Amino acid sequence: MLERSTTDILILGSGGAGLFAALHAFNADPDLQITVAVKGLLGKCGCTRMVQGGYNAALMPGDSVERHFMDTIAGGKWLPRQDLAWRLVEGAVERIRELENELGCFFDRNADGTLHNKAFAGQSFDRTIHKGDLTGIEIINRLMEQVWDRPIQRLEEHRAIALIPTPTGDALSGVLMIDMRSGNFRFVQAKTVLLATGGGPTMYRYHTPSGDKSCDGMAMALRAGLRLRDMEMVQFHPTGLLAGPGTHMTGTVLEEGLRGAGGYLLDGAGKRFMYDYDERGERATRDIVSRAIFAEMRAGNTTPHGGVYIEMKHLGVDDVRRRFKGMVERCADCGFDLAGGRVEVVPTAHYMMGGIIFEPDCTTSLPGLYLAGEDSGGVHGANRLGGNGVANSTVFGGIAGETMAAHVRQGLAFREPDESSIEIETARARHPFTKPPGDLNALRERLLDLMWNQVGVLRDSTGLEQGIADLDDLKCELMETGLADGGQVFNLTWHDWLNLQSQINVSQAIARAALKRENSRGAHFREDFPGEGDLAASTYTVVRMVGDSLELSVKPVDFSIVKPGSSLIDGEAGMPAVAAK
Ligand SMILES: Cc1cc2nc3c(=O)[nH]c(=O)nc-3n(C[C@H](O)[C@H](O)[C@H](O)COP(=O)(O)OP(=O)(O)OC[C@H]3O[C@@H](n4cnc5c(N)ncnc54)[C@H](O)[C@@H]3O)c2cc1C
């Protein structure tokens, strides 16, 4: 059964990007019809809720947006699209004020009343604003209340499955979704659609993002012919909890502050190993520590569950308990004593820097489609600074809301859908009901392992080629695997099947882009090409789907604001100052 509805503005996802878009669109014109469709419950799903560390904004005397910009560019290994990075750092200052003064967030303060800024890796200034280690809950709860308070329509537990074009294919007409509760299909015709489904590298054996995320937005965009960039750039956090079988806590982040405070990483035999890899020991950057741990794991120097240990007790058991209360309690929940013993950890896939190509005003190459948040590519380049993720989603979410409202007010009309696309996409989603039941979970386990082993922290051409072949096989096998239960009503196994399809499609894009980049930058490390290459001649990868195949290309990075070897900061060592834009 196909239900139909219309709306001026349709927002997919209710993370920082989706909710900010809804509020800014409403503020621009309260008469617009705005609908938020989300796979889970509004404000209760996605990763913005999970933000622990905080939000980067250059607010303090001595800091500047130029400094934040340079940290973002250097951290991204000169691959970020510079106009997007500039928009991010400039917008973060405005957005954090808005969060506090208009939306009612309380962030931690110093004794003199100024906002407390904590240190985060890779930054030349302490600029991470936070609410303890529960920053995301503070932000999302306030955003959620504000959205509830306005006549913004909610389609909860509605999963978007396809972007439906016009009959000529030159613009977007609306979105096909499944009402997960009833199992019915729903086509929402919209003048403007925001894709804000939050990416999320959940196809890796160990990962941090919320379980509702399965890269659906990127998979839909690929099928709609949009271009994605930097897909090889998957950030791994070095210390995910390794809690053993029978718990969903594995992959959960143990914060960077533990290593920063002087925590030790030990191999399975209890030997410290980080100094074998970097003179900064455990305080080396995320990517270096992740690679070192992965190398130890590959050499078999592991703990009982196959990771390494983190140990803190030499810093004083009571001190550790006091300073890292949340982490100590989380570990205790899983039976580990972080303050006085050892906890097993493993690198964990955390964030996708890559995503769909978009413009600073959040428009895309497909008229009617807008983009914000972790689904988008180009803001972070090869690495995201901690604290720049939630800034990215909230800054661009707000911009997207304003742009969509302005475009609707300019007189956009509804576009008729290509009815045959709706039929094809409905059949595609119903495909598993047409096949004999199979072991879906076994396929998922294979995906997690192959992405971890062949397209993970350390890569080379042999592994990547094998990974690509295995992904092709997995895709074919999925198409022959059906569901044991034939009903569509709240059938979560059906959604597991659809999740797996999105994850495999996007994994193929990651693996192909990783093979294409024959150098090592930021999160992407090729053992067969360990050098970073010539920064001045940097290129980024672009992937798009043509028919059933992926087409790969590279494009030169545009250094329109600052060139490698230069800086926007006056007098920075060895770097001539250039004008800010
Ligand atoms: C554990 C953890 C800690 C983090 N800590 C920090 C930090 O300290 N600082 C920082 O800057 N960043 C941090 N991040 C990253 C940050 O959470 C993300 O960058 C950011 O929140 C992404 O926002 P978003 O709005 O794009 O996506 P999300 O907040 O993830 O929201 C995505 C939304 O899309 C919905 N959705 C997904 N698929 C569909 C579909 N098919 N149809 C409809 N809806 C769909 C989801 O249900 C969800 O509502 C952390 C991430 C994790 C996982």
Side-chain angles (χ1 to χ4, degrees), residues 13-17 38-39 45-48 50-54 158 160 196-198 208 212-213 216 350-351 373-374 384 387-390 393:
S14 73
V38 52
K39 202 169 173 182
C45 49
C47 289
T48 308
M50 300 167 80
V51 165
Q52 300 171 348
H158 275 65
T197 61
T208 67
D212 51 311
K213 300 217 294 191
D216 294 342
H350 190 44
Y351 188 89
E374 201 177 326
R384 170 184 71 89
N388 268 2
V390 62
S393 56

PDB file of all heavy atoms in Angstrom, residues 13-17 38-39 45-48 50-54 158 160 196-198 208 212-213 216 350-351 373-374 384 387-390 393, ligand 1:
ATOM      1  N   GLY A  13      16.149  12.946   8.973  1.00  0.00           N
ATOM      2  CA  GLY A  13      17.089  12.830  10.082  1.00  0.00           C
ATOM      3  C   GLY A  13      16.832  13.882  11.140  1.00  0.00           C
ATOM      4  O   GLY A  13      16.473  15.026  10.828  1.00  0.00           O
ATOM      5  N   SER A  14      17.004  13.480  12.413  1.00  0.00           N
ATOM      6  CA  SER A  14      16.754  14.435  13.511  1.00  0.00           C
ATOM      7  C   SER A  14      17.971  14.543  14.417  1.00  0.00           C
ATOM      8  O   SER A  14      17.854  14.602  15.631  1.00  0.00           O
ATOM      9  CB  SER A  14      15.518  14.024  14.309  1.00  0.00           C
ATOM     10  OG  SER A  14      15.797  12.886  15.098  1.00  0.00           O
ATOM     11  N   GLY A  15      19.178  14.570  13.816  1.00  0.00           N
ATOM     12  CA  GLY A  15      20.377  14.902  14.578  1.00  0.00           C
ATOM     13  C   GLY A  15      20.548  16.410  14.614  1.00  0.00           C
ATOM     14  O   GLY A  15      19.599  17.177  14.364  1.00  0.00           O
ATOM     15  N   GLY A  16      21.773  16.837  14.905  1.00  0.00           N
ATOM     16  CA  GLY A  16      22.040  18.281  14.966  1.00  0.00           C
ATOM     17  C   GLY A  16      21.714  18.958  13.653  1.00  0.00           C
ATOM     18  O   GLY A  16      21.176  20.075  13.632  1.00  0.00           O
ATOM     19  N   ALA A  17      22.001  18.298  12.537  1.00  0.00           N
ATOM     20  CA  ALA A  17      21.762  18.913  11.231  1.00  0.00           C
ATOM     21  C   ALA A  17      20.266  19.031  10.962  1.00  0.00           C
ATOM     22  O   ALA A  17      19.763  20.106  10.604  1.00  0.00           O
ATOM     23  CB  ALA A  17      22.441  18.091  10.135  1.00  0.00           C
ATOM     24  N   VAL A  38      12.151  10.586  10.332  1.00  0.00           N
ATOM     25  CA  VAL A  38      13.323  10.009  10.992  1.00  0.00           C
ATOM     26  C   VAL A  38      13.122   8.520  11.265  1.00  0.00           C
ATOM     27  O   VAL A  38      12.029   8.070  11.595  1.00  0.00           O
ATOM     28  CB  VAL A  38      13.654  10.824  12.271  1.00  0.00           C
ATOM     29  CG1 VAL A  38      12.455  10.990  13.165  1.00  0.00           C
ATOM     30  CG2 VAL A  38      14.808  10.214  13.045  1.00  0.00           C
ATOM     31  N   LYS A  39      14.216   7.802  11.117  1.00  0.00           N
ATOM     32  CA  LYS A  39      14.202   6.335  11.249  1.00  0.00           C
ATOM     33  C   LYS A  39      13.884   5.905  12.683  1.00  0.00           C
ATOM     34  O   LYS A  39      13.300   4.849  12.905  1.00  0.00           O
ATOM     35  CB  LYS A  39      15.599   5.845  10.863  1.00  0.00           C
ATOM     36  CG  LYS A  39      15.730   4.422  10.416  1.00  0.00           C
ATOM     37  CD  LYS A  39      17.138   4.261   9.824  1.00  0.00           C
ATOM     38  CE  LYS A  39      17.484   2.855   9.486  1.00  0.00           C
ATOM     39  NZ  LYS A  39      18.855   2.733   8.961  1.00  0.00           N
ATOM     40  N   CYS A  45      17.708   9.494  18.543  1.00  0.00           N
ATOM     41  CA  CYS A  45      18.525   8.575  17.753  1.00  0.00           C
ATOM     42  C   CYS A  45      19.654   9.374  17.094  1.00  0.00           C
ATOM     43  O   CYS A  45      19.742  10.580  17.253  1.00  0.00           O
ATOM     44  CB  CYS A  45      17.651   7.891  16.708  1.00  0.00           C
ATOM     45  SG  CYS A  45      16.641   9.059  15.779  1.00  0.00           S
ATOM     46  N   GLY A  46      20.505   8.685  16.364  1.00  0.00           N
ATOM     47  CA  GLY A  46      21.617   9.366  15.707  1.00  0.00           C
ATOM     48  C   GLY A  46      22.765   9.632  16.666  1.00  0.00           C
ATOM     49  O   GLY A  46      22.698   9.300  17.860  1.00  0.00           O
ATOM     50  N   CYS A  47      23.806  10.248  16.164  1.00  0.00           N
ATOM     51  CA  CYS A  47      25.049  10.406  16.935  1.00  0.00           C
ATOM     52  C   CYS A  47      25.181  11.740  17.651  1.00  0.00           C
ATOM     53  O   CYS A  47      26.025  11.861  18.538  1.00  0.00           O
ATOM     54  CB  CYS A  47      26.259  10.218  16.021  1.00  0.00           C
ATOM     55  SG  CYS A  47      26.459   8.516  15.531  1.00  0.00           S
ATOM     56  N   THR A  48      24.398  12.748  17.263  1.00  0.00           N
ATOM     57  CA  THR A  48      24.574  14.037  17.947  1.00  0.00           C
ATOM     58  C   THR A  48      24.293  13.863  19.436  1.00  0.00           C
ATOM     59  O   THR A  48      24.971  14.450  20.280  1.00  0.00           O
ATOM     60  CB  THR A  48      23.669  15.116  17.314  1.00  0.00           C
ATOM     61  OG1 THR A  48      23.885  15.127  15.894  1.00  0.00           O
ATOM     62  CG2 THR A  48      23.988  16.485  17.869  1.00  0.00           C
ATOM     63  N   MET A  50      25.098  11.459  21.141  1.00  0.00           N
ATOM     64  CA  MET A  50      26.197  10.712  21.765  1.00  0.00           C
ATOM     65  C   MET A  50      27.458  11.560  21.953  1.00  0.00           C
ATOM     66  O   MET A  50      28.455  11.062  22.477  1.00  0.00           O
ATOM     67  CB  MET A  50      26.533   9.497  20.903  1.00  0.00           C
ATOM     68  CG  MET A  50      25.369   8.545  20.734  1.00  0.00           C
ATOM     69  SD  MET A  50      25.676   7.343  19.432  1.00  0.00           S
ATOM     70  CE  MET A  50      26.702   6.174  20.284  1.00  0.00           C
ATOM     71  N   VAL A  51      27.429  12.810  21.473  1.00  0.00           N
ATOM     72  CA  VAL A  51      28.627  13.655  21.562  1.00  0.00           C
ATOM     73  C   VAL A  51      29.058  13.775  23.019  1.00  0.00           C
ATOM     74  O   VAL A  51      28.268  14.154  23.870  1.00  0.00           O
ATOM     75  CB  VAL A  51      28.347  15.053  20.957  1.00  0.00           C
ATOM     76  CG1 VAL A  51      29.422  16.046  21.345  1.00  0.00           C
ATOM     77  CG2 VAL A  51      28.228  14.942  19.446  1.00  0.00           C
ATOM     78  N   GLN A  52      30.312  13.430  23.262  1.00  0.00           N
ATOM     79  CA  GLN A  52      30.822  13.477  24.639  1.00  0.00           C
ATOM     80  C   GLN A  52      31.688  14.717  24.819  1.00  0.00           C
ATOM     81  O   GLN A  52      31.432  15.570  25.649  1.00  0.00           O
ATOM     82  CB  GLN A  52      31.677  12.227  24.918  1.00  0.00           C
ATOM     83  CG  GLN A  52      30.927  10.933  24.761  1.00  0.00           C
ATOM     84  CD  GLN A  52      31.854   9.726  24.822  1.00  0.00           C
ATOM     85  OE1 GLN A  52      33.065   9.836  24.758  1.00  0.00           O
ATOM     86  NE2 GLN A  52      31.272   8.556  24.950  1.00  0.00           N
ATOM     87  N   GLY A  53      32.750  14.787  23.986  1.00  0.00           N
ATOM     88  CA  GLY A  53      33.817  15.764  24.197  1.00  0.00           C
ATOM     89  C   GLY A  53      33.341  17.192  24.123  1.00  0.00           C
ATOM     90  O   GLY A  53      33.450  17.949  25.090  1.00  0.00           O
ATOM     91  N   GLY A  54      32.782  17.626  23.010  1.00  0.00           N
ATOM     92  CA  GLY A  54      32.302  18.990  22.926  1.00  0.00           C
ATOM     93  C   GLY A  54      32.302  19.576  21.535  1.00  0.00           C
ATOM     94  O   GLY A  54      32.353  18.845  20.542  1.00  0.00           O
ATOM     95  N   HIS A 158       9.996   6.417  10.428  1.00  0.00           N
ATOM     96  CA  HIS A 158       9.835   6.422   8.972  1.00  0.00           C
ATOM     97  C   HIS A 158      11.221   6.362   8.366  1.00  0.00           C
ATOM     98  O   HIS A 158      12.046   7.246   8.621  1.00  0.00           O
ATOM     99  CB  HIS A 158       9.124   7.687   8.495  1.00  0.00           C
ATOM    100  CG  HIS A 158       7.637   7.586   8.565  1.00  0.00           C
ATOM    101  ND1 HIS A 158       6.933   7.466   9.747  1.00  0.00           N
ATOM    102  CD2 HIS A 158       6.702   7.579   7.565  1.00  0.00           C
ATOM    103  CE1 HIS A 158       5.647   7.389   9.487  1.00  0.00           C
ATOM    104  NE2 HIS A 158       5.468   7.454   8.174  1.00  0.00           N
ATOM    105  N   ALA A 160      13.583   6.571   5.199  1.00  0.00           N
ATOM    106  CA  ALA A 160      13.692   6.973   3.795  1.00  0.00           C
ATOM    107  C   ALA A 160      14.425   5.878   3.038  1.00  0.00           C
ATOM    108  O   ALA A 160      15.442   5.358   3.512  1.00  0.00           O
ATOM    109  CB  ALA A 160      14.457   8.286   3.698  1.00  0.00           C
ATOM    110  N   ALA A 196      19.962  14.521   5.821  1.00  0.00           N
ATOM    111  CA  ALA A 196      20.764  14.713   7.043  1.00  0.00           C
ATOM    112  C   ALA A 196      20.701  13.430   7.864  1.00  0.00           C
ATOM    113  O   ALA A 196      20.379  13.435   9.049  1.00  0.00           O
ATOM    114  CB  ALA A 196      20.236  15.906   7.837  1.00  0.00           C
ATOM    115  N   THR A 197      21.032  12.304   7.190  1.00  0.00           N
ATOM    116  CA  THR A 197      20.900  11.005   7.847  1.00  0.00           C
ATOM    117  C   THR A 197      22.202  10.547   8.514  1.00  0.00           C
ATOM    118  O   THR A 197      22.279   9.451   9.050  1.00  0.00           O
ATOM    119  CB  THR A 197      20.391   9.916   6.867  1.00  0.00           C
ATOM    120  OG1 THR A 197      21.340   9.766   5.806  1.00  0.00           O
ATOM    121  CG2 THR A 197      19.051  10.286   6.270  1.00  0.00           C
ATOM    122  N   GLY A 198      23.220  11.399   8.449  1.00  0.00           N
ATOM    123  CA  GLY A 198      24.358  11.233   9.365  1.00  0.00           C
ATOM    124  C   GLY A 198      25.384  10.158   9.062  1.00  0.00           C
ATOM    125  O   GLY A 198      26.127   9.770   9.969  1.00  0.00           O
ATOM    126  N   THR A 208      31.635   3.073  16.590  1.00  0.00           N
ATOM    127  CA  THR A 208      31.000   3.860  17.663  1.00  0.00           C
ATOM    128  C   THR A 208      29.594   4.376  17.343  1.00  0.00           C
ATOM    129  O   THR A 208      28.827   4.607  18.264  1.00  0.00           O
ATOM    130  CB  THR A 208      31.852   5.100  18.030  1.00  0.00           C
ATOM    131  OG1 THR A 208      31.850   6.015  16.919  1.00  0.00           O
ATOM    132  CG2 THR A 208      33.286   4.735  18.365  1.00  0.00           C
ATOM    133  N   ASP A 212      21.054   2.899  14.572  1.00  0.00           N
ATOM    134  CA  ASP A 212      20.069   3.243  13.542  1.00  0.00           C
ATOM    135  C   ASP A 212      20.741   3.726  12.267  1.00  0.00           C
ATOM    136  O   ASP A 212      20.080   3.861  11.236  1.00  0.00           O
ATOM    137  CB  ASP A 212      19.094   4.311  14.056  1.00  0.00           C
ATOM    138  CG  ASP A 212      19.803   5.512  14.665  1.00  0.00           C
ATOM    139  OD1 ASP A 212      20.691   5.296  15.504  1.00  0.00           O
ATOM    140  OD2 ASP A 212      19.488   6.664  14.293  1.00  0.00           O
ATOM    141  N   LYS A 213      22.050   4.010  12.337  1.00  0.00           N
ATOM    142  CA  LYS A 213      22.704   4.568  11.157  1.00  0.00           C
ATOM    143  C   LYS A 213      23.311   3.447  10.308  1.00  0.00           C
ATOM    144  O   LYS A 213      24.049   2.616  10.811  1.00  0.00           O
ATOM    145  CB  LYS A 213      23.786   5.552  11.582  1.00  0.00           C
ATOM    146  CG  LYS A 213      23.205   6.713  12.392  1.00  0.00           C
ATOM    147  CD  LYS A 213      23.864   8.030  12.119  1.00  0.00           C
ATOM    148  CE  LYS A 213      25.288   8.098  12.542  1.00  0.00           C
ATOM    149  NZ  LYS A 213      25.792   9.489  12.476  1.00  0.00           N
ATOM    150  N   ASP A 216      22.295   5.039   4.926  1.00  0.00           N
ATOM    151  CA  ASP A 216      21.183   5.048   3.965  1.00  0.00           C
ATOM    152  C   ASP A 216      21.239   6.279   3.058  1.00  0.00           C
ATOM    153  O   ASP A 216      20.960   6.195   1.861  1.00  0.00           O
ATOM    154  CB  ASP A 216      19.833   5.080   4.701  1.00  0.00           C
ATOM    155  CG  ASP A 216      19.570   3.816   5.489  1.00  0.00           C
ATOM    156  OD1 ASP A 216      20.224   2.792   5.218  1.00  0.00           O
ATOM    157  OD2 ASP A 216      18.698   3.862   6.387  1.00  0.00           O
ATOM    158  N   HIS A 350      34.758   5.529  13.704  1.00  0.00           N
ATOM    159  CA  HIS A 350      34.088   6.579  14.459  1.00  0.00           C
ATOM    160  C   HIS A 350      33.309   7.545  13.570  1.00  0.00           C
ATOM    161  O   HIS A 350      32.214   7.968  13.910  1.00  0.00           O
ATOM    162  CB  HIS A 350      35.184   7.334  15.217  1.00  0.00           C
ATOM    163  CG  HIS A 350      34.687   8.300  16.240  1.00  0.00           C
ATOM    164  ND1 HIS A 350      33.669   8.020  17.113  1.00  0.00           N
ATOM    165  CD2 HIS A 350      35.094   9.564  16.553  1.00  0.00           C
ATOM    166  CE1 HIS A 350      33.465   9.056  17.903  1.00  0.00           C
ATOM    167  NE2 HIS A 350      34.307  10.009  17.574  1.00  0.00           N
ATOM    168  N   TYR A 351      33.869   7.893  12.431  1.00  0.00           N
ATOM    169  CA  TYR A 351      33.307   9.025  11.691  1.00  0.00           C
ATOM    170  C   TYR A 351      33.711   8.911  10.229  1.00  0.00           C
ATOM    171  O   TYR A 351      34.817   8.477   9.921  1.00  0.00           O
ATOM    172  CB  TYR A 351      33.874  10.327  12.275  1.00  0.00           C
ATOM    173  CG  TYR A 351      33.235  11.585  11.733  1.00  0.00           C
ATOM    174  CD1 TYR A 351      32.114  12.126  12.340  1.00  0.00           C
ATOM    175  CD2 TYR A 351      33.756  12.229  10.615  1.00  0.00           C
ATOM    176  CE1 TYR A 351      31.527  13.290  11.844  1.00  0.00           C
ATOM    177  CE2 TYR A 351      33.176  13.385  10.114  1.00  0.00           C
ATOM    178  CZ  TYR A 351      32.058  13.907  10.737  1.00  0.00           C
ATOM    179  OH  TYR A 351      31.476  15.046  10.262  1.00  0.00           O
ATOM    180  N   GLY A 373      25.560  17.995   7.529  1.00  0.00           N
ATOM    181  CA  GLY A 373      25.969  17.023   8.542  1.00  0.00           C
ATOM    182  C   GLY A 373      26.899  15.960   7.996  1.00  0.00           C
ATOM    183  O   GLY A 373      27.578  16.144   6.988  1.00  0.00           O
ATOM    184  N   GLU A 374      26.920  14.813   8.705  1.00  0.00           N
ATOM    185  CA  GLU A 374      27.914  13.775   8.402  1.00  0.00           C
ATOM    186  C   GLU A 374      27.677  13.092   7.056  1.00  0.00           C
ATOM    187  O   GLU A 374      28.545  12.373   6.562  1.00  0.00           O
ATOM    188  CB  GLU A 374      27.945  12.753   9.558  1.00  0.00           C
ATOM    189  CG  GLU A 374      29.244  11.955   9.593  1.00  0.00           C
ATOM    190  CD  GLU A 374      29.332  10.984  10.764  1.00  0.00           C
ATOM    191  OE1 GLU A 374      28.814  11.285  11.856  1.00  0.00           O
ATOM    192  OE2 GLU A 374      29.939   9.908  10.595  1.00  0.00           O
ATOM    193  N   ARG A 384      38.937  14.585  10.697  1.00  0.00           N
ATOM    194  CA  ARG A 384      38.094  15.560  11.401  1.00  0.00           C
ATOM    195  C   ARG A 384      38.693  15.835  12.769  1.00  0.00           C
ATOM    196  O   ARG A 384      39.042  14.906  13.495  1.00  0.00           O
ATOM    197  CB  ARG A 384      36.689  14.992  11.582  1.00  0.00           C
ATOM    198  CG  ARG A 384      35.820  15.812  12.492  1.00  0.00           C
ATOM    199  CD  ARG A 384      34.482  15.148  12.712  1.00  0.00           C
ATOM    200  NE  ARG A 384      34.555  13.961  13.535  1.00  0.00           N
ATOM    201  CZ  ARG A 384      34.453  13.941  14.859  1.00  0.00           C
ATOM    202  NH1 ARG A 384      34.313  15.057  15.535  1.00  0.00           N
ATOM    203  NH2 ARG A 384      34.486  12.799  15.539  1.00  0.00           N
ATOM    204  N   GLY A 387      35.489  17.695  18.013  1.00  0.00           N
ATOM    205  CA  GLY A 387      34.794  18.966  18.274  1.00  0.00           C
ATOM    206  C   GLY A 387      34.293  19.657  17.010  1.00  0.00           C
ATOM    207  O   GLY A 387      33.454  20.544  17.076  1.00  0.00           O
ATOM    208  N   ASN A 388      34.802  19.237  15.840  1.00  0.00           N
ATOM    209  CA  ASN A 388      34.336  19.836  14.580  1.00  0.00           C
ATOM    210  C   ASN A 388      33.149  19.082  13.984  1.00  0.00           C
ATOM    211  O   ASN A 388      32.566  19.535  13.004  1.00  0.00           O
ATOM    212  CB  ASN A 388      35.460  19.853  13.539  1.00  0.00           C
ATOM    213  CG  ASN A 388      36.254  21.157  13.575  1.00  0.00           C
ATOM    214  OD1 ASN A 388      35.993  22.027  14.398  1.00  0.00           O
ATOM    215  ND2 ASN A 388      37.229  21.288  12.689  1.00  0.00           N
ATOM    216  N   GLY A 389      32.794  17.920  14.561  1.00  0.00           N
ATOM    217  CA  GLY A 389      31.703  17.117  13.988  1.00  0.00           C
ATOM    218  C   GLY A 389      30.351  17.737  14.288  1.00  0.00           C
ATOM    219  O   GLY A 389      29.532  17.976  13.388  1.00  0.00           O
ATOM    220  N   VAL A 390      30.102  18.008  15.549  1.00  0.00           N
ATOM    221  CA  VAL A 390      28.800  18.580  15.926  1.00  0.00           C
ATOM    222  C   VAL A 390      28.715  20.027  15.430  1.00  0.00           C
ATOM    223  O   VAL A 390      27.630  20.509  15.068  1.00  0.00           O
ATOM    224  CB  VAL A 390      28.557  18.420  17.450  1.00  0.00           C
ATOM    225  CG1 VAL A 390      29.590  19.154  18.267  1.00  0.00           C
ATOM    226  CG2 VAL A 390      27.164  18.885  17.827  1.00  0.00           C
ATOM    227  N   SER A 393      27.527  19.688  11.812  1.00  0.00           N
ATOM    228  CA  SER A 393      26.108  19.381  11.575  1.00  0.00           C
ATOM    229  C   SER A 393      25.219  20.570  11.956  1.00  0.00           C
ATOM    230  O   SER A 393      24.261  20.881  11.241  1.00  0.00           O
ATOM    231  CB  SER A 393      25.679  18.095  12.291  1.00  0.00           C
ATOM    232  OG  SER A 393      25.938  18.163  13.650  1.00  0.00           O
TER     233      SER A 393
HETATM  234  C1  LIG B   1      30.259   8.242  20.540  1.00  0.00           C
HETATM  235  C2  LIG B   1      30.418   9.478  19.721  1.00  0.00           C
HETATM  236  C3  LIG B   1      30.994  10.589  20.292  1.00  0.00           C
HETATM  237  C4  LIG B   1      31.155  11.760  19.538  1.00  0.00           C
HETATM  238  N1  LIG B   1      31.708  12.846  20.137  1.00  0.00           N
HETATM  239  C5  LIG B   1      31.853  13.987  19.418  1.00  0.00           C
HETATM  240  C6  LIG B   1      32.387  15.161  20.033  1.00  0.00           C
HETATM  241  O1  LIG B   1      32.736  15.167  21.211  1.00  0.00           O
HETATM  242  N2  LIG B   1      32.478  16.283  19.278  1.00  0.00           N
HETATM  243  C7  LIG B   1      32.096  16.330  17.965  1.00  0.00           C
HETATM  244  O2  LIG B   1      32.220  17.369  17.324  1.00  0.00           O
HETATM  245  N3  LIG B   1      31.586  15.223  17.360  1.00  0.00           N
HETATM  246  C8  LIG B   1      31.455  14.064  18.053  1.00  0.00           C
HETATM  247  N4  LIG B   1      30.918  12.958  17.444  1.00  0.00           N
HETATM  248  C9  LIG B   1      30.480  13.076  16.031  1.00  0.00           C
HETATM  249  C10 LIG B   1      29.093  13.727  15.962  1.00  0.00           C
HETATM  250  O3  LIG B   1      28.217  12.971  16.742  1.00  0.00           O
HETATM  251  C11 LIG B   1      28.586  13.786  14.536  1.00  0.00           C
HETATM  252  O4  LIG B   1      29.525  14.450  13.777  1.00  0.00           O
HETATM  253  C12 LIG B   1      27.290  14.595  14.378  1.00  0.00           C
HETATM  254  O5  LIG B   1      26.518  14.515  15.522  1.00  0.00           O
HETATM  255  C13 LIG B   1      26.489  14.123  13.192  1.00  0.00           C
HETATM  256  O6  LIG B   1      25.272  14.866  13.143  1.00  0.00           O
HETATM  257  P1  LIG B   1      24.197  14.586  11.999  1.00  0.00           P
HETATM  258  O7  LIG B   1      23.034  15.459  12.278  1.00  0.00           O
HETATM  259  O8  LIG B   1      24.840  14.655  10.680  1.00  0.00           O
HETATM  260  O9  LIG B   1      23.793  13.055  12.208  1.00  0.00           O
HETATM  261  P2  LIG B   1      23.132  12.294  13.452  1.00  0.00           P
HETATM  262  O10 LIG B   1      23.110  13.101  14.675  1.00  0.00           O
HETATM  263  O11 LIG B   1      23.795  10.979  13.530  1.00  0.00           O
HETATM  264  O12 LIG B   1      21.624  12.097  12.993  1.00  0.00           O
HETATM  265  C14 LIG B   1      21.264  11.285  11.898  1.00  0.00           C
HETATM  266  C15 LIG B   1      19.767  11.120  11.890  1.00  0.00           C
HETATM  267  O13 LIG B   1      19.346  10.512  10.668  1.00  0.00           O
HETATM  268  C16 LIG B   1      18.412   9.467  10.962  1.00  0.00           C
HETATM  269  N5  LIG B   1      18.407   8.507   9.845  1.00  0.00           N
HETATM  270  C17 LIG B   1      19.380   7.643   9.481  1.00  0.00           C
HETATM  271  N6  LIG B   1      18.980   6.954   8.386  1.00  0.00           N
HETATM  272  C18 LIG B   1      17.736   7.391   8.068  1.00  0.00           C
HETATM  273  C19 LIG B   1      16.793   7.047   7.060  1.00  0.00           C
HETATM  274  N7  LIG B   1      17.045   6.119   6.142  1.00  0.00           N
HETATM  275  N8  LIG B   1      15.608   7.705   7.058  1.00  0.00           N
HETATM  276  C20 LIG B   1      15.301   8.671   7.991  1.00  0.00           C
HETATM  277  N9  LIG B   1      16.156   9.012   8.985  1.00  0.00           N
HETATM  278  C21 LIG B   1      17.365   8.388   9.005  1.00  0.00           C
HETATM  279  C22 LIG B   1      18.915   8.913  12.271  1.00  0.00           C
HETATM  280  O14 LIG B   1      17.939   8.130  12.907  1.00  0.00           O
HETATM  281  C23 LIG B   1      19.243  10.219  13.006  1.00  0.00           C
HETATM  282  O15 LIG B   1      18.078  10.788  13.520  1.00  0.00           O
HETATM  283  C24 LIG B   1      30.755  11.788  18.170  1.00  0.00           C
HETATM  284  C25 LIG B   1      30.180  10.652  17.605  1.00  0.00           C
HETATM  285  C26 LIG B   1      30.009   9.507  18.365  1.00  0.00           C
HETATM  286  C27 LIG B   1      29.398   8.314  17.719  1.00  0.00           C
END
